[in-house]
């Protein structure tokens, strides 16, 4: 099982990026999916999550109204559309999948390797 996150890069403040995370090795149709981030010198923090059916999503307060999480119909890929980016959004972004049915999930089973997002001022 492997989660591959990509789409990071360097962008100016106010710009947009779209992150993708593709899973391979098995189907994750019934898994909830999320995005986390870790900035230099800081702990990893939750960014956004979407449940297995796509009917529910949740966001950290600091990205509400700017970021949107979605998943594709095959349900093995999750996306994070990031708009109005700020320098404080600079971090390594990780995707994660979980089979836990509580909402929002409090534990994730599989993690991607991370993709770096750098927002310049």
């Amino acid at each position: 099982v492997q989660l591959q996150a990509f789409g990071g890069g360097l962008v100016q403040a106010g710009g947009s990026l779209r992150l993708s995370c593709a899973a391979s090795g098995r189907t994750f149709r019934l898994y909830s999916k999320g995005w986390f981030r870790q900035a230099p010198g800081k702990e990893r923090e939750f960014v956004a999550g979407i449940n297995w059916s796509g009917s529910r999503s949740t966001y950290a307060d600091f990205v509400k109204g700017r970021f949107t999480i979605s998943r594709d119909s095959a349900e093995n890929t999750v996306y994070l559309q990031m708009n109005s980016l700020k320098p404080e959004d600079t971090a390594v972004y990780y995707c994660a999948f979980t089979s836990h049915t509580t909402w929002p999930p409090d534990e994730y089973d599989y993690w991607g390797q991370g993709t770096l997002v750098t927002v310049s001022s």
Side-chain angles (χ1 to χ4, degrees):
V1 173
Q2 185 176 18
L3 303 185
Q4 181 76 29
F6 50 95
L10 175 64
V11 63
Q12 288 188 333
S16 299
L17 281 176
R18 189 191 194 207
L19 305 184
S20 301
C21 176
S24 61
R26 58 162 295 169
T27 180
F28 289 95
R29 185 174 65 86
L30 297 181
Y31 279 57
S32 293
K33 302 166 178 71
W35 287 94
F36 293 74
R37 72 185 187 185
Q38 186 168 19
K42 296 186 177 181
E43 294 187 351
R44 186 173 61 194
E45 59 186 358
F46 172 79
V47 175
I50 189 166
N51 75 334
W52 69 272
S53 66
S55 63
R56 304 179 74 175
S57 60
T58 185
Y59 298 88
D61 287 343
F62 52 79
V63 302
K64 283 182 179 177
R66 300 189 298 124
F67 291 10
T68 303
I69 188 171
S70 62
R71 91 251 191 287
D72 71 359
S73 57
E75 299 162 353
N76 258 26
T77 303
V78 62
Y79 306 97
L80 186 68
Q81 178 66 42
M82 305 186 296
N83 299 327
S84 302
L85 283 161
K86 305 174 181 179
E88 51 264 44
D89 293 320
T90 295
V92 176
Y93 284 73
Y94 299 89
C95 58
F97 290 9
T98 180
S99 60
H100 291 250
T101 57
T102 55
W103 185 258
D106 55 4
E107 187 175 349
Y108 283 77
D109 305 310
Y110 300 98
W111 291 84
Q113 86 292 354
T115 184
L116 176 63
V117 172
T118 303
V119 185
S120 62
S121 57

